[in-house]
């Protein structure tokens, strides 16, 4: 995009002094995006601290209003490329006593001095030259565990108009938008992200009203490289549209990206006694990582997994973290806690203390649906720890069902799966079925050893391959 063309876009938004009167779609999307943000910060604990929020393309403050209602104590940096849009936002909030900083900035090429807990943007990314590059750049300004939450128009927006142009063999000079397929893979490896799509149908009284509406919100700038239609051609487009349509569709993608809390992996299993602790010891040794088992049960009959991993991987005192929850009975955390008249929560599991220079191997307790209390499960612990997951699975009969169900449940929560490690007798059929049906990588096949010790742990480590880009 040339500088002259970008100046045209800025000028169009500067002149949109009736923006809020005509921005009906923008208001709908801003509300839905704010609901999406509320969902991610759904507990009061998430909002107690004074978080920092960066908004890209704040416009007149449609999304901002929802945000300050929800995060009244947050520090806001509100940006826009249009000086007049930024002034409109300033005037809207001039009598509010919130921590608001206004900054004239091109969101695609940000110049910032701090990192943020939340970066958000409503219907701005479709104006970027390269959405993937912009997202990678913006996520660099996220704190660990920070969110990038955005909305953008996608390819099928205005498809009714485009069909009229195509039917007449006219070149359509309406803005083009990225396809949902092209943005599915834009999320960086530093976190996990997903998109959800929506369609909004808008009734149009007359064809010319559509173009007047675009001009009123500053969105009427045609494609940079396009040839304008002759007046007779434009009249034909208006006429054909009026005959065939009285509506226009907007296709919206809502994106949520969360940056990982640290480098490393959360190790879970398809069952209990599946070999998670052994694999965790291998991974800790391989990656020279710090080991952490947040919830430990069964201490009345076992030395505990932390001691086992420290022994096998020969860890120093700085290479492990003690469990947050320690329970005596070899039961689920919920049942073991009940025997001790304790009520468990995850409030004390704090990932903000994880050091960014370290790599971490975090081990769960049993499978992902082992209960912690009457409403929390290990999968909720995985979400809170916020690391990519490695699944440990058996190779015996029955493992396909357990493994594929674990994969599906994690994906339903948008939790990133780095791969599966098989533990037991080599079984190529099992391996190939998991790859085929689970669409995951097999990171290793670890054979059974009757006696594992620090000396032969290295042999098992050689059976596991962790790609460098994963860590």
């Amino acid at each position: 995009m040339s500088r002259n063309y970008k100046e045209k876009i800025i000028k169009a938004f500067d002149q949109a002094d009736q923006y809020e009167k005509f921005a009906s779609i923008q208001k709908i999307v801003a509300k839905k995006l704010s609901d999406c943000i509320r969902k991610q910060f759904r507990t009061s604990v998430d909002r107690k601290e004074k978080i920092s929020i960066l908004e890209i393309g704040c416009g007149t403050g449609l999304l901002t209003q929802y945000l300050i209602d929800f995060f009244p104590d947050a520090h806001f940096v509100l940006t826009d490329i249009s000086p007049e849009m930024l002034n409109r936002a300033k005037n809207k909030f001039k009598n509010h006593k919130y921590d608001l900083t206004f900054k004239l900035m091109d969101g695609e090429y940000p110049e910032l001095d701090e990192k943020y807990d939340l970066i958000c943007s409503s219907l701005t990314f479709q104006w970027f030259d390269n959405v993937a590059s912009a997202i990678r750049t913006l996520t660099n300004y996220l704190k660990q565990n920070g969110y990038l939450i955005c909305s953008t128009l996608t390819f099928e927006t205005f498809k009714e108009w485009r069909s009229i142009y195509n039917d007449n063999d006219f070149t359509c000079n309406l803005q083009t938008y990225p396809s949902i397929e092209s943005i599915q893979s834009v999320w960086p490896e530093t976190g996990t992200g997903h998109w959800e799509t929506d369609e909004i149908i808008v009734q149009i009284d007359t064809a010319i009203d559509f173009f007047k509406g675009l001009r009123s919100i500053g969105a009427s700038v045609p494609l940079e490289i396009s040839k304008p239609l002759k007046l007779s051609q434009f009249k034909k487009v208006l006429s054909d549209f009026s005959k065939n349509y009285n509506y226009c569709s907007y296709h919206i993608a809502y994106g949520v990206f969360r940056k990982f809390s640290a480098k490393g992996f959360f190790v879970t299993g398809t069952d209990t006694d599946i070999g998670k602790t052994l694999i965790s010891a291998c991974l800790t040794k391989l990656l020279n990582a710090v080991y952490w088992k947040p919830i430990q049960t069964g201490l009345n009959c076992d030395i505990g997994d932390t001691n086992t991993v420290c022994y096998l991987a020969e860890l120093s005192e700085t290479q492990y973290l003690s469990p947050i929850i320690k329970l005596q009975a070899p039961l689920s955390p919920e049942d073991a806690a009940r025997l001790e008249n304790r009520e468990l929560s995850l409030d004390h599991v704090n990932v903000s203390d994880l050091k960014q220079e370290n790599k971490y191997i975090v081990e769960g307790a049993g499978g992902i649906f082992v209960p912690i209390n009457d409403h929390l499960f290990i999968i909720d612990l995985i979400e809170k720890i916020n690391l990519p997951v490695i699944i440990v699975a058996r190779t015996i009969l029955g493992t396909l069902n357990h493994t594929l169900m674990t994969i599906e449940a994690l994906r339903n929560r948008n939790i990133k799966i780095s791969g599966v490690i098989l533990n037991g007798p080599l079984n190529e059929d099992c391996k190939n079925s998991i790859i085929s049906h689970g669409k995951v990588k097999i990171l290793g096949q670890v054979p059974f050893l009757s006696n594992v010790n620090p000396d032969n742990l290295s042999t098992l480590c050689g059976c596991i391959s962790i790609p460098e880009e994963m860590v």
Side-chain angles (χ1 to χ4, degrees):
M1 184 185 298
S2 68
R3 184 62 199 173
N4 286 341
Y5 184 66
K6 186 161 285 191
E7 290 292 343
K8 287 183 180 180
I9 295 173
I10 294 171
K11 183 178 179 180
F13 281 110
D14 279 347
Q15 294 174 343
D17 54 5
Q18 298 188 70
Y19 182 87
E20 292 208 10
K21 180 180 178 181
F22 291 91
S24 57
I25 294 298
Q26 287 71 18
K27 291 175 182 177
I28 293 171
V29 175
K31 175 60 169 66
K32 184 161 184 178
L33 188 64
S34 72
D35 290 342
C36 182
I37 292 170
R38 285 172 181 258
K39 182 179 177 182
Q40 301 305 320
F41 292 83
R42 56 185 177 271
T43 69
S44 59
V45 175
D46 294 327
R47 297 184 284 125
K48 277 183 179 178
E49 296 182 4
K50 185 177 174 69
I51 69 170
S52 56
I53 299 175
L54 170 69
E55 185 179 351
I56 301 296
C58 67
T60 60
L62 297 179
L63 176 61
T64 313
Q65 183 63 67
Y66 291 113
L67 294 177
I68 61 177
D69 288 345
F70 193 59
F71 301 103
D73 298 320
H75 164 60
F76 288 87
V77 176
L78 308 175
T79 73
D80 203 284
I81 196 172
S82 160
E84 288 306 313
M85 279 293 185
L86 206 60
N87 285 334
R88 291 169 191 134
K90 287 180 182 178
N91 288 332
K92 176 182 282 190
F93 300 112
K94 64 182 179 182
N95 296 322
H96 291 251
K97 295 181 180 179
Y98 299 108
D99 183 0
L100 307 180
T101 298
F102 296 89
K103 182 178 177 66
L104 186 66
M105 188 183 80
D106 184 343
E108 189 170 4
Y109 305 100
E111 297 179 358
L112 300 161
D113 299 321
E114 58 182 312
K115 294 194 174 185
Y116 300 87
D117 299 287
L118 169 64
I119 298 176
C120 54
S121 179
S122 186
L123 296 184
T124 298
F125 284 14
Q126 70 267 8
W127 293 101
F128 292 169
D129 266 340
N130 189 324
V131 174
S133 176
I135 285 177
R136 285 192 298 271
T137 299
L138 288 170
T139 56
N140 288 332
Y141 291 101
L142 285 175
K143 296 178 182 178
Q144 303 306 127
N145 278 312
Y147 286 93
L148 169 65
I149 302 178
C150 60
S151 61
T152 183
L153 297 177
T154 58
F155 180 72
E156 291 200 322
T157 296
F158 308 149
K159 62 183 178 181
E160 299 80 12
W161 284 101
R162 299 182 200 283
S163 69
I164 297 296
Y165 280 85
N166 290 337
D167 290 346
N168 285 282
D169 289 328
F170 296 157
T171 300
C172 182
N173 59 6
L174 292 170
Q175 290 291 333
T176 58
Y177 306 116
S179 67
I180 188 63
E181 292 79 15
S182 70
I183 59 176
Q184 286 289 6
S185 59
V186 300
W187 306 117
E189 290 294 322
T190 53
T192 183
H194 66 280
W195 296 93
E196 295 180 2
T197 58
D198 188 25
E199 181 182 30
I200 302 173
I201 304 296
V202 178
Q203 299 299 312
I204 298 176
D205 292 333
T206 66
I208 196 65
D209 286 341
F210 169 78
F211 289 98
K212 288 181 178 178
L214 289 183
R215 186 176 296 109
S216 297
I217 63 171
S220 61
V221 179
L223 286 173
E224 182 172 16
I225 303 176
S226 63
K227 184 178 180 180
L229 296 181
K230 297 177 182 177
L231 180 59
S232 59
Q233 293 174 322
F234 184 58
K235 286 182 176 180
K236 181 71 165 58
V237 168
L238 295 178
S239 174
D240 287 358
F241 186 88
S242 298
K243 291 176 184 176
N244 293 281
Y245 301 100
N246 65 344
Y247 64 90
C248 183
S249 60
Y250 290 75
H251 290 253
I252 319 294
Y254 297 87
V256 177
F257 173 86
R258 188 184 184 196
K259 195 168 187 176
F260 291 134
S261 60
K263 298 174 183 177
F265 302 97
F266 191 106
V267 179
T268 191
T270 58
D271 203 346
T272 191
D273 290 332
I274 202 82
K276 294 190 306 299
T277 302
L278 173 62
I279 300 304
S280 294
C282 290
L283 292 170
T284 303
K285 188 176 182 69
L286 269 174
L287 301 178
N288 192 28
V290 174
Y291 173 82
W292 184 26
K293 177 133 182 166
I295 302 176
Q296 176 69 66
T297 63
L299 288 173
N300 64 1
C301 58
D302 192 272
I303 63 172
D305 294 336
T306 302
N307 287 328
T308 300
V309 171
C310 285
Y311 163 69
L312 290 175
E314 300 178 293
L315 303 184
S316 69
E317 291 185 357
T318 62
Q319 281 188 277
Y320 70 90
L321 301 176
S322 297
I324 301 294
I325 298 171
K326 299 178 182 180
L327 299 160
Q328 297 303 308
L331 303 170
S332 72
E334 179 185 34
D335 289 340
R338 186 181 296 115
L339 292 178
E340 299 179 26
N341 295 316
R342 294 173 60 183
E343 292 185 6
L344 303 182
S345 77
L346 297 179
D347 291 348
H348 299 297
V349 178
N350 186 2
V351 295
S352 63
D353 292 335
L354 300 183
K355 297 178 180 178
Q356 300 313 304
E357 63 268 22
N358 290 339
K359 298 171 186 174
Y360 292 88
I361 297 298
V362 183
E363 183 184 349
I368 62 173
F369 284 118
V370 168
I372 297 170
N373 59 27
D374 62 357
H375 64 280
L376 291 174
F377 302 85
I378 293 299
I379 194 170
D380 296 295
L381 175 66
I382 294 173
E383 275 194 318
K384 182 150 190 177
I385 297 295
N386 185 29
L387 290 174
V389 171
I390 290 177
I391 301 168
V392 181
R394 304 184 199 276
T395 58
I396 61 175
L397 188 66
T399 195
L400 293 180
N401 178 66
H402 297 341
T403 306
L404 296 178
M405 288 179 69
T406 299
I407 290 169
E408 182 175 3
L410 290 168
R411 285 184 176 152
N412 285 340
R413 294 277 194 108
N414 298 304
I415 295 171
K416 183 172 182 178
I417 303 169
S418 290
V420 175
I421 295 177
L422 299 173
N423 185 33
L426 298 184
N427 187 330
E428 285 298 309
D429 289 338
C430 173
K431 170 187 171 182
N432 292 333
S433 291
I434 291 172
I435 293 172
S436 174
H437 297 292
K439 311 301 181 192
V440 292
K441 297 177 181 177
I442 300 297
L443 302 177
Q445 296 186 82
V446 177
F448 174 77
L449 289 181
S450 58
N451 180 31
V452 182
N453 55 55
D455 293 331
N456 59 24
L457 186 74
S458 297
T459 301
L460 299 182
C461 289
C463 301
I464 298 173
S465 177
I466 304 297
E468 186 175 341
E469 64 269 18
M470 287 190 180
V471 291

